[in-house]
Amino acid sequence: MNIDVKTLFYIFSLGNLFIIFFFAAYVYFYKVKNNILNIFIIAKVLFAILWVLYALRHEISDFYSIILANIFLIFAIYLDLYCVTYVNETFNKKKFLNTLAIPIIFSIIFILISNSNQTIRIIVISFFVAFFYIVGGLTILLKANKTKIQIAVSYLCFIICSLFVYRMFWAYFEETALVVYPNSGVQLLTYLFLVLGSFIFPMILLIILKEKQEHDIIISNNSLKLLNKNKSNFFSIIAHDLKGPLGTYTKLIELLLNKHKEMPINQREEFLMKLHNSSTQMFNLLENLLKWSKVESGTTKVHPNDTVLKDIINPVALLMKNSLDLKNLDLVIAIPEEETVYCDYNMIMTVIRNLLSNAIKFTPNNGKITILSKKVNDNYLEIRIEDTGVGIPSKDLNSIFDLNSDLNTNGTNNETGTGLGLKLAKEYIKKNNGTIGIESVVNVGTTVWIHLPTKKTLQT
């Protein structure tokens, strides 16, 4: 076989230059912002240079033609495989930089053995290439979100790995001196498959990118449909629950306007109390709605400070006194005076107000509500709001914090509500680096617990 390997190397280099131009144009004209593509272009630049260095083996120093060329080969293969393996995932800069240690270590090892005879160099560099392709192939196969085209790439990796393993043994058992340009079938076959992988990978990368783009479009459309559904549900809930107190408010005003002169004082007071309750419900709903909209738009800012827990609980209890008295509910606050949490005062006050309001709503007349606290550990405090109310069926507990949930059960005195307070509470607790949960037994009562940090260092 009489092949001019030098010319072949120049052709390999020109092929990589074409790939570089194509991908650079693709990134520029389509304004693609994808770090994987930038890394892939760097890999092709390294391939283009190293083939020229191989071609000039006898015309330039060994530093360029042996050491630098093989270091470029190590990094080019690594970057090539990294891009094809992870192109369909979100780029993780930290992960990428950490794994760069492998080609760096291999490069250092090759520099250390670069003064050895050519047989040793061929064995070492063949081992490195085989290692990259076997690890690359296995990584693809073990990925959870691999595509069919990536599976095909893994088999190509195994073939290239096998050829370079064979090249290692061929170099070890070869009796004659080895040179870089032998027209040996082993040498040429390994080079040709190396180039084959290098040229096939760009097409594969584009196919995977196209698949990812189509998948992202489907996900985006599904997310948009879900978002629209959530919004529709959300606004229907709001409209439904505004209609109740607003309708009551309107009817009561109409009755008072038409019959206030002939009404006894106690009946007028009863109407005024109902008006107060309706207006309070509307106010609380609109306040929660406003706060929820700020959370959703990302404009809510957290301003945490060390806060005495009773300074949050007591004002809320005072605010709810009329509602508690109307149902003759006993409120017990078992909070130590010195108990503190690290939180945004106004956010957590809103949370407690909503949770206490729910407890009042679902606790029958003459019932009991208890607010207590206990240490979870040195870093977190648990706040519990327990009631002796009607409870929540177990099938509804998992979805009670879900915006899509339509659990709009009226209270024991037919009080209405949207359930928005619980959703808002969950978001506020999350923003304060805490957690919230709920436990309930039907006809026994409900307990809502909150874990909040007690130290500034835990605030994210």
Side-chain angles (χ1 to χ4, degrees), residues 186-204:
V186 175
Q187 288 277 61
L188 287 173
L189 194 60
T190 53
Y191 285 141
L192 286 171
F193 264 87
L194 190 61
V195 172
L196 179 65
S198 177
F199 285 178
I200 287 176
F201 283 178
M203 292 182 287
I204 290 171

Side-chain angles (χ1 to χ4, degrees), residues 210-317:
K210 187 173 183 298
E211 287 179 351
K212 184 176 184 296
Q213 186 179 30
E214 290 173 352
H215 180 263
D216 289 346
I217 289 172
I218 292 171
I219 294 296
S220 178
N221 287 339
N222 289 340
S223 298
L224 188 61
K225 287 177 183 177
L226 181 61
L227 181 63
N228 287 333
K229 181 183 176 182
N230 285 346
K231 284 184 176 179
S232 297
N233 289 343
F234 179 71
F235 284 117
S236 65
I237 290 169
I238 296 298
H240 175 269
D241 285 286
L242 264 179
K243 183 180 178 182
L246 189 59
T248 302
Y249 192 88
T250 304
K251 287 178 182 177
L252 289 171
I253 289 289
E254 186 178 345
L255 283 170
L256 279 172
L257 285 172
N258 293 332
K259 299 183 178 181
H260 69 282
K261 291 181 180 179
E262 56 199 65
M263 277 185 183
I265 294 176
N266 61 339
Q267 190 176 11
R268 277 204 302 266
E269 287 179 349
E270 182 185 347
F271 270 47
L272 288 171
M273 184 61 73
K274 288 180 179 178
L275 279 173
H276 175 264
N277 289 338
S278 293
S279 61
T280 300
Q281 287 176 27
M282 285 189 289
F283 176 80
N284 289 338
L285 175 59
L286 291 173
E287 186 180 26
N288 280 340
L289 183 58
L290 177 62
K291 289 178 178 177
W292 177 264
S293 68
K294 287 183 178 179
V295 169
E296 288 293 282
S297 65
T299 58
T300 300
K301 303 297 181 185
V302 185
H303 302 288
N305 285 294
D306 290 317
T307 306
V308 175
L309 186 55
K310 269 203 165 183
D311 288 348
I312 298 175
I313 304 294
N314 289 341
V316 174

Side-chain angles (χ1 to χ4, degrees), residues 284 316-317 320 323-332 350-372 384-392 400 409-417 419 421-422 425 438-440 444-450:
N284 289 338
V316 174
M320 296 291 179
S323 299
L324 289 161
D325 291 344
L326 278 173
K327 300 180 78 170
N328 195 31
L329 299 178
D330 183 20
L331 176 63
V332 177
T350 298
V351 170
I352 299 298
R353 178 174 60 77
N354 276 299
L355 297 181
L356 183 55
S357 177
N358 273 358
I360 294 170
K361 174 181 172 183
F362 293 107
T363 301
N365 293 351
N366 304 312
K368 182 180 179 181
I369 298 171
T370 306
I371 303 177
L372 52 88
R384 298 175 70 85
I385 299 178
E386 303 174 350
D387 66 52
T388 57
V390 295
I392 305 166
I400 200 161
T409 310
N410 285 351
T412 55
N413 284 2
N414 208 33
E415 303 99 323
T416 60
L422 280 176
I438 190 164
E439 303 159 4
S440 189
V444 174
T446 299
T447 297
V448 180
W449 55 263
I450 301 165

Side-chain angles (χ1 to χ4, degrees), residues 392-399 407:
I392 305 166
S394 57
K395 64 182 178 64
D396 295 332
L397 284 177
N398 290 334
S399 60
L407 302 175

